[in-house]
Amino acid sequence: KMDFRVGGSYHYGIEGPNGLQMWGMQQFLDIVLERKIVHLQSFSDKDGGLGRHPMAPTWPSYMHVSATYEDSDSGGTIYTINWRPHESDAQGIATFDSARDGMTAGFAGTFTKLDAYLLKLQG
């Protein structure tokens, strides 16, 4: 369910190959079309209530996410994303910090797939 406006939210679910379901919620704080999206990110349940990370119970309840989009000199887009724990305790911050390398690898893999897909579309 998507309500893309400041004050709106995006509730989504994914299912992995082993049947594990994960739900998430984004609450939009700031939107500058084609330039910036700021939101709070949390795990949720299937009904949109606050959930916990299914594999890391000490994960922060909320993440503050800022994503910016800039034109590059080569004609593409520079996408920058900044995640940080929001109103978290020390244990949540430590859990998040210990997962940075994995998140970086995950985002890199996602963008590699996106690049290949976009190149394929261009023919």
Side-chain angles (χ1 to χ4, degrees):
K1 180 177 167 186
M2 170 72 82
D3 181 10
F4 188 65
R5 62 179 174 85
V6 173
S9 63
Y10 173 43
H11 180 235
Y12 61 92
I14 60 173
E15 184 171 337
N18 61 357
L20 173 70
Q21 292 185 353
M22 293 189 346
W23 296 88
M25 179 71 75
Q26 296 177 350
Q27 300 168 13
F28 299 111
L29 304 175
D30 189 21
I31 299 170
V32 178
L33 291 180
E34 299 182 9
R35 292 291 170 224
K36 177 173 69 170
I37 301 171
V38 179
H39 66 274
L40 290 180
Q41 174 76 44
S42 63
F43 285 89
S44 73
D45 60 26
K46 67 178 181 167
D47 299 317
L50 183 62
R52 300 299 300 178
H53 192 304
M55 296 168 280
T58 59
W59 191 263
S61 294
Y62 294 95
M63 305 299 299
H64 186 274
V65 182
S66 177
T68 59
Y69 309 84
E70 300 174 64
D71 296 331
S72 74
D73 293 339
S74 66
T77 301
I78 299 169
Y79 175 72
T80 304
I81 188 165
N82 181 331
W83 292 66
R84 68 178 190 270
H86 179 74
E87 298 179 354
S88 181
D89 61 14
Q91 187 177 29
I93 293 169
T95 300
F96 174 79
D97 285 343
S98 71
R100 284 185 185 272
D101 289 344
M103 289 185 293
T104 298
F107 274 105
T110 297
F111 284 111
T112 297
K113 289 178 182 178
L114 177 60
D115 286 345
Y117 176 76
L118 293 174
L119 284 172
K120 188 176 181 180
L121 285 179
Q122 292 176 358

